[in-house]
């Protein structure tokens, strides 16, 4: 999961776009929440992307990337519920 992407969460699935250097890839996967961590399993990949949930309410989700060594990124992504 990278910056410049669009995420659509539905039940236990996630659909997202990975945009970069003149290329947009449509991707999909599964997601789950374990404690204070959002985990996204990209389809056809073994590695999972982990995010620390710094804020979650009925209107907003704010997450920070968790690096493989456990370090939590200072920058965050903010998602607003589409009405």
């Amino acid at each position: 999961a990278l910056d410049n992407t669009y995420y659509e969460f539905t039940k236990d699935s996630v659909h997202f776009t990975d945009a970069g250097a003149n290329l947009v890839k449509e991707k999909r996967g599964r997601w789950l929440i374990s404690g204070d961590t959002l985990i996204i399993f990209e389809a056809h990949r073994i590695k999972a992307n982990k995010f620390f949930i710094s804020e979650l309410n009925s209107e907003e989700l704010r997450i920070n990337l968790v690096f493989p060594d456990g370090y939590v990124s200072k920058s965050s992504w903010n998602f607003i519920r589409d009405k």
Side-chain angles (χ1 to χ4, degrees), residues 13-14 20 22-24 28 30 33 46 53 58 62 64 70:
S13 297
V14 60
N22 300 323
L23 180 66
V24 176
R28 61 188 170 84
R30 299 277 187 200
I33 294 177
I46 296 172
I53 301 170
S58 63
R62 185 180 308 254
N64 300 71

Side-chain angles (χ1 to χ4, degrees), residues 4-57:
N4 297 322
T5 59
Y6 169 81
Y7 291 82
E8 180 182 2
F9 294 92
T10 58
K11 295 187 182 181
D12 65 349
S13 297
V14 60
H15 297 269
F16 55 102
T17 55
D18 184 358
N22 300 323
L23 180 66
V24 176
K25 296 179 188 176
E26 298 287 332
K27 297 184 176 185
R28 61 188 170 84
R30 299 277 187 200
W31 66 273
L32 66 89
I33 294 177
S34 177
D36 60 2
T37 305
L38 168 66
I39 305 169
I40 296 178
F41 301 94
E42 187 177 329
H44 309 294
R45 293 197 58 191
I46 296 172
K47 180 183 156 221
N49 297 295
K50 295 182 179 182
F51 301 90
F52 171 72
I53 301 170
S54 55
E55 185 172 340
L56 176 62
N57 60 49

